[in-house]
C-alpha cells in the first residue's frame, strides 16, 4: 500500500541551526501539507502546497519556514534558524484531490521528531 | 477567530460501554474529519463528513455531522481496549478557494478492561 515516508525520524539540532525535514508523498498525489504537533498538544496546520507553490499557510508559518519540491518526489520543510519552541513532531501529508465538496483524504507520514537544544 | 473544540479532553471508560465525543467549530466548514492517533504514532484518517446530516460508521465508531449546529459527534459503541487512542476532529475553512485545516484539542480515550 502506498505511504508517505518522512526522514529522518528524529532530528536533534542546536538552537540557531538550519534543519531540513524531508518527505516523499504518495506518488500520484498533487497536494502536500506540513503539520506540527508539540508534545501532548493538538496538531497544527503549517502549510499546503500545490503546483509548485504555497496554497495556504497558517500564522505559524513565518519567514523562518520554507517549503520546496526540489524534484518529482521529495517535499521538504526548511527551518532556517531553529528556536527551542520549534521542538515538535512534524508530520507531512499528501492527498490527490482538494476541491469543494470533495473528500480530500490526507495520508500522513510517521513524522519527524525535531529536538532543538 | 477560528476555533475547534472537543470535549471531553480525557475519557476513561469501561469495556462494553458507550460514549460520545463532541466536536464544536466556530464557522462554516466544507469538511470535517476524524482522526485516530496512537501514542507516538501518526494520524490515521477515520471519517470525512461533507454534508449536513452525514453519518459514517466503521466498526464500533460512528461519526455524524450537524452543520447548522456546527457540531460533529464520534460515538463509540461497546468499547474495547483496542480503541484506546487520542481522537482528533479537524475542519477545513476555505479562503478564496484554498483551505486551512484546524484541528481540535483531541480526546484521549482510555478503555479499561
Amino acid at each position: 500500500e502506498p505511504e508517505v515516508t518522512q526522514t529522518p525520524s528524529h532530528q536533534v539540532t542546536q538552537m540557531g541551526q538550519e534543519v531540513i525535514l524531508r518527505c516523499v508523498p504518495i506518488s500520484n498525489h498533487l497536494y502536500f501539507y506540513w503539520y506540527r504537533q508539540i508534545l501532548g498538544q493538538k496538531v497544527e496546520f503549517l502549510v499546503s502546497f500545490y503546483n509548485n507553490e504555497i496554497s495556504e499557510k497558517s500564522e505559524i508559518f513565518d519567514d523562518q519556514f520554507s517549503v520546496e519540491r526540489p524534484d518529482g518526489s521529495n517535499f521538504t520543510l526548511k527551518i532556517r534558524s531553529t528556536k527551542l519552541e520549534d521542538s515538535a513532531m512534524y508530520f507531512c501529508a499528501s492527498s490527490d484531490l482538494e476541491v469543494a465538496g470533495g473528500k480530500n483524504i490526507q495520508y500522513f507520514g510517521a513524522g519527524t521528531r525535531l529536538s532543538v537544544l | 477567530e477560528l476555533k475547534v473544540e472537543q470535549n471531553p479532553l480525557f475519557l476513561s471508560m469501561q469495556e462494553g460501554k458507550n460514549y460520545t465525543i463532541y466536536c464544536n467549530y466556530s464557522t462554516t466548514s466544507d469538511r470535517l474529519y476524524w482522526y485516530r492517533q496512537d501514542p507516538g504514532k501518526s494520524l490515521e484518517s477515520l471519517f470525512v463528513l461533507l454534508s449536513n446530516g452525514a453519518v459514517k460508521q466503521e466498526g464500533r465508531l460512528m461519526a455524524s455531522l450537524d452543520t447548522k449546529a456546527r457540531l460533529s459527534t464520534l460515538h463509540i459503541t461497546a468499547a474495547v481496549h483496542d480503541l484506546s487512542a487520542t481522537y482528533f476532529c479537524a475542519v477545513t475553512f476555505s479562503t478564496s478557494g484554498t483551505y486551512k485545516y484546524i484541528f481540535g484539542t483531541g480526546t484521549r480515550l482510555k478503555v479499561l478492561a
Side-chain angles (χ1 to χ4, degrees), chain A residues 84-96:
Chain A
L84 295 176
E85 54 266 36
D86 293 328
S87 295
M89 183 73 91
Y90 288 81
F91 291 106
C92 172
S94 70
S95 70
D96 61 355

Side-chain angles (χ1 to χ4, degrees), chain B residues 48-104:
Chain B
V48 183
L49 303 168
L50 300 177
S51 58
N52 188 42
V55 177
K56 295 280 183 74
Q57 182 162 5
E58 181 74 33
R60 300 176 188 274
L61 301 177
M62 183 173 71
S64 66
L65 179 63
D66 181 343
T67 57
K68 293 178 183 175
R70 295 176 184 161
L71 170 69
S72 179
T73 60
L74 181 66
H75 187 74
I76 303 156
T77 302
V80 293
H81 179 70
D82 286 351
L83 290 178
S84 297
T86 298
Y87 293 86
F88 290 97
C89 65
V91 298
T92 61
F93 297 96
S94 176
T95 54
S96 305
T98 59
Y99 297 90
K100 285 187 178 180
Y101 297 81
I102 311 294
F103 278 71

Side-chain angles (χ1 to χ4, degrees), chain A residues 33 35 37 40-43 45 48 55-57 59 91 98-106 108-110, chain B residues 4 30-31 33 35 37 40-43 45 48 50 56 88 95 98-106 108:
Chain A
Y33 311 85
Y35 297 84
Q37 184 179 31
Q41 298 188 23
K42 69 177 181 179
V43 177
F45 169 73
S48 59
S55 300
E56 190 62 76
K57 60 183 181 179
E59 297 76 20
F91 291 106
E98 185 175 80
V99 296
K103 287 187 177 179
N104 187 29
I105 296 175
Q106 296 184 19
F108 284 74
Chain B
V4 181
D30 291 334
R31 286 182 291 261
Y33 300 84
Y35 292 94
Q37 185 179 38
K41 302 292 186 181
S42 188
L43 291 144
S45 178
V48 183
L50 300 177
K56 295 280 183 74
F88 290 97
T95 54
T98 59
Y99 297 90
K100 285 187 178 180
Y101 297 81
I102 311 294
F103 278 71
T105 46
R108 188 173 299 175

Side-chain angles (χ1 to χ4, degrees), chain A residues 41-59:
Chain A
Q41 298 188 23
K42 69 177 181 179
V43 177
E44 298 173 293
F45 169 73
L46 293 178
V47 66
S48 59
F49 191 88
Y50 169 71
N51 200 26
N52 284 320
E53 61 182 27
I54 291 174
S55 300
E56 190 62 76
K57 60 183 181 179
S58 71
E59 297 76 20

